[in-house]
Amino acid sequence: MALRPIIILPDPVLREKSTPIVRVDDDVRALVADMFETMYDAPGIGLAAVQVGITKRIVTIDLAREGEEKKPMVFVNPEIVWSSDEQSTYEEGCLSIPQYYEEVERPAKVRVRYQDEKGEAHELEADGLLATCLQHEIDHLEGKLFIDHLSKLKRDRVIKKFQKQAKREHEF
Ligand code: NI
């Protein structure tokens, strides 16, 4: 297992579309282990492989609170097959957009088809925070970020802020 550096806005990799996993093999499982280590270290509740620079359709999630037993969830090739008309709003953040939080409205419930770390197919119906988290992470696989759900004004403002930060770090 190894910690992997997290890709930060405005790195163009975050805008790439991730490709499906054809075979869930030991390489995939090794990447998943690295993703969990990186996610727990950050700390965060969800991570898409593209956020560590690997444009493959893999998502890790763990919604356990601090002090609770870990509940690692792996989603290979996740796909939303149904979403509710009912919406819900959560304050979202993203490890690729550190220290920025904003409320996002999304469908309150989703059904997701995916494979586990053994390659077995499953379907899961999620609501609450898990529904939001799954949609946020699956967006990443399409090169989409949660700020894309905000007004253009807010989005442009946060992108500009991170562009300035990246430029400053580049100068040093
Ligand atoms: Ni994110």
Side-chain angles (χ1 to χ4, degrees), residues 15 38 120 126 138:
R15 293 307 192 175
T38 304
E120 279 168 30
I138 291 171

Side-chain angles (χ1 to χ4, degrees), residues 7-18:
I7 308 281
I8 305 292
L9 189 76
D11 193 311
V13 173
L14 292 171
R15 293 307 192 175
E16 282 181 28
K17 196 173 157 150
S18 294

Side-chain angles (χ1 to χ4, degrees), residues 51 93-95 136-137 140:
Q51 293 181 274
C94 181
L95 293 176
H136 175 123
E137 300 310 331
H140 272 299

Side-chain angles (χ1 to χ4, degrees), residues 97-133:
I97 313 173
Q99 316 297 335
Y100 183 76
Y101 305 92
E102 196 59 69
E103 288 195 336
V104 178
E105 191 184 67
R106 299 178 186 268
K109 291 178 186 169
V110 289
R111 193 177 306 129
V112 174
R113 189 176 294 156
Y114 65 99
Q115 287 160 267
D116 63 19
E117 70 274 24
K118 290 178 199 134
E120 279 168 30
H122 300 274
E123 243 180 62
L124 168 80
E125 198 164 309
D127 60 7
L129 181 58
L130 181 58
T132 285
C133 194

